Amino acid sequence: MTAHPPIPVRATEAADIAALAAIINAIIAIGGTTAYEDPFTEDRLAALLLDDPRLICCHTAIDPADGMPAGYQVLKNHPDLPPHWGDIATFARVEPKLPGVGRALFAATADFARKTGLVAINATIRADNESGLGFYGTMGFEDYAVAKAVPLKDGTPVDRVSKRFRVDALAVKGPQ
């Protein structure tokens, strides 16, 4: 097995937005893994990742092979969550896939969350998003709630699973 170089992660910058919009829009086009159903313009995505007053942090993973963004993870305050909780969303490039992007992003986000005094991170995932459910489970998130039959734009009901990661019991799993 060939060892992969570490995946650099840094705070998201304005120069990343075009590549990040391409990543999220490719995921939306495939369908079935994100609650987002409408493509993002660069301006709309920049507003959410750089300028949103609810923003706690946003990190971008850089592909060491080409220096281009390979994914991003955003952590925000959410009015439906308890105080000192963040709400997370993760998006990784579909093609070419870069193994370890989510893990590298979560290590940076969890560390930032701990340093800023958060006690928990919420991830709400579509129940039909097996890869997303698996990813957050591998990172140590545990199920705590299910919103039943949340309709998509076309009316299709899809459950949403909420998972919680306790920052105060931080145990980001590294390579085994």
Side-chain angles (χ1 to χ4, degrees):
M1 187 165 142
T2 306
H4 296 284
I7 298 171
V9 174
R10 59 167 169 70
T12 299
E13 301 171 354
D16 300 328
I17 295 299
L20 300 183
I23 289 169
I24 183 75
N25 288 338
I27 293 167
I28 292 167
I30 292 167
T33 62
T34 179
Y36 293 115
E37 297 183 72
D38 296 318
F40 281 87
T41 64
E42 290 179 27
D43 287 344
R44 183 170 155 236
L45 190 62
L48 288 174
L49 302 185
L50 301 173
D51 302 323
D52 191 325
R54 300 171 301 157
L55 185 67
I56 297 169
C57 66
C58 187
H59 291 101
T60 295
I62 304 299
D63 187 332
D66 63 13
M68 293 298 297
Y72 68 96
Q73 191 168 71
V74 61
L75 187 65
K76 294 184 175 189
N77 292 302
H78 193 286
D80 295 336
L81 293 174
H84 308 292
W85 281 48
D87 193 45
I88 196 169
T90 307
F91 303 95
R93 187 177 64 199
V94 176
E95 192 61 40
K97 209 171 212 32
L98 180 61
V101 164
R103 185 176 302 276
L105 286 164
F106 188 64
T109 300
D111 185 55
F112 192 93
R114 182 184 52 76
K115 288 177 180 173
T116 57
L118 293 183
V119 297
I121 298 172
N122 173 76
T124 299
I125 306 116
R126 285 175 47 160
D128 58 350
N129 180 355
E130 292 179 18
S131 65
L133 293 167
F135 166 72
Y136 286 110
T138 300
M139 294 298 102
F141 283 72
E142 298 175 344
D143 294 6
Y144 75 92
V146 176
K148 296 284 190 186
V150 178
L152 299 176
K153 269 181 25 178
D154 68 3
T156 304
V158 179
D159 291 354
R160 302 285 198 268
V161 178
S162 291
K163 293 178 164 285
R164 165 183 51 219
F165 179 86
R166 290 194 42 207
V167 176
D168 55 353
L170 192 59
V172 177
K173 297 175 180 165
Q176 303 294 321

